[in-house]
Amino acid sequence: MQVDVFKTSHHREYEMSLRIIISGIYADPEGKPLPAKTLTFESLYNSSQTQLKTTVQVVTDKDANYSVALVPNYYNVCELDGKGRSKWPGNIQLFADSPSGTLNEYFTAFRTDQVQPGILMEMEEILEETKAAAADAGFNPCGPWNSTTSYKKNDLVQYSGSQYLATAPVMAIEPPFAPWSLFVSAGDNGLPGPSNILTVGTVQTLPPGSSATVEIVGDSPAQVLNFGIRLPIIQ
């Protein structure tokens, strides 16, 4: 047990000591140094070393030099001029094995082949989760409603000239009662109702570790498909 505790403590000490130095001379597009500018770095993810929206600031000296030590994360960088005005130069992303460098190097030199294999693997997992969630949201036509049939979520049945969508597993509950949702309504004299229009609504980012979600909301003939995609975990 003492060995396990030592390893855990050592690992935490290593994590807390991990910093990437961002330094250089802060200048405008014409190369003119910009002294007395406050640069803020706001973290955009929770990680093992910092929390979401943690802010670090550094002020350029008289020669426009700056230097700041940051833990791995994705940062929103903002410039303040001391008069209440701000400017957004861009975002930077730092990994555990990122080298020290200047802001401009991180603004302009990021390439997909620099992403750590672990991050790429997690992004692939997120993509597969989203595909699976979208597949779960697909419709399964089941013909006329039957009181003895066990229906799954997203099963479609015909009832009294209309079509109903199961929003949850159901058996022996007659449409239009919950969890049935009207999908396509019957027209006059039994004629088919208007075609359902399914559009993409919101695409939200979810906390790291969450499962991707796909939700159909609204009633026919105008329903909306909302997606939730989890953020990767940055170590």
Side-chain angles (χ1 to χ4, degrees):
M1 294 298 292
Q2 291 180 348
V3 173
D4 291 338
V5 172
F6 172 78
K7 286 184 177 180
T8 302
S9 175
H10 178 74
H11 180 67
R12 288 175 179 170
E13 288 177 2
Y14 168 75
E15 284 186 340
M16 293 307 295
S17 64
L18 183 59
R19 299 287 191 278
I20 295 92
I21 304 299
I22 306 298
S23 63
I25 297 176
Y26 193 64
D28 65 15
E30 296 179 345
K32 178 183 176 181
L34 298 173
K37 299 291 185 182
T38 299
L39 303 177
T40 67
F41 300 80
E42 182 184 52
S43 61
L44 300 183
Y45 296 114
N46 288 314
S47 74
S48 59
Q49 292 179 264
T50 189
Q51 292 78 41
L52 174 72
K53 294 189 178 297
T54 297
T55 300
V56 177
Q57 290 188 339
V58 62
V59 180
T60 59
D61 65 15
K62 61 182 180 63
D63 297 316
N65 292 299
Y66 64 89
S67 181
V68 61
L70 300 172
V71 300
N73 209 298
Y74 191 69
Y75 292 92
N76 177 46
V77 183
C78 186
E79 172 198 315
L80 306 176
D81 64 2
K83 298 180 181 179
R85 295 174 297 188
S86 64
K87 182 173 68 176
W88 174 69
N91 291 342
I92 64 173
Q93 189 161 15
L94 304 178
F95 298 102
D97 58 355
S98 294
S100 296
T102 67
L103 267 177
N104 280 352
E105 288 173 338
Y106 274 96
F107 283 147
T108 62
F110 177 76
R111 303 190 309 272
T112 55
D113 61 0
Q114 293 175 324
V115 180
Q116 291 179 326
I119 297 296
L120 286 175
M121 184 178 297
E122 185 168 5
M123 293 302 294
E124 290 175 356
E125 291 176 357
I126 292 172
L127 177 60
E128 292 304 316
E129 287 179 5
T130 305
K131 287 181 178 178
D136 289 341
F139 308 129
N140 179 36
C142 297
W145 175 80
N146 189 310
S147 62
T148 62
T149 300
S150 178
Y151 295 101
K152 301 185 296 296
K153 181 179 179 180
N154 294 329
D155 281 351
L156 275 173
V157 299
Q158 299 171 6
Y159 185 82
S160 297
S162 297
Q163 282 190 318
Y164 291 87
L165 177 70
T167 60
V170 58
M171 181 178 177
I173 296 180
E174 188 174 353
F177 300 104
W180 293 107
S181 174
L182 180 64
F183 190 72
V184 177
S185 60
D188 293 337
N189 301 321
L191 296 175
S195 298
N196 190 43
I197 300 175
L198 186 63
T199 58
V200 176
T202 60
V203 179
Q204 295 181 324
T205 54
L206 305 176
S210 303
S211 297
T213 62
V214 177
E215 179 187 26
I216 299 173
V217 298
D219 295 321
S220 174
Q223 293 184 302
V224 178
L225 193 63
N226 295 328
F227 289 88
I229 302 174
R230 69 178 174 87
L231 296 173
I233 299 174
I234 297 181
Q235 302 295 336

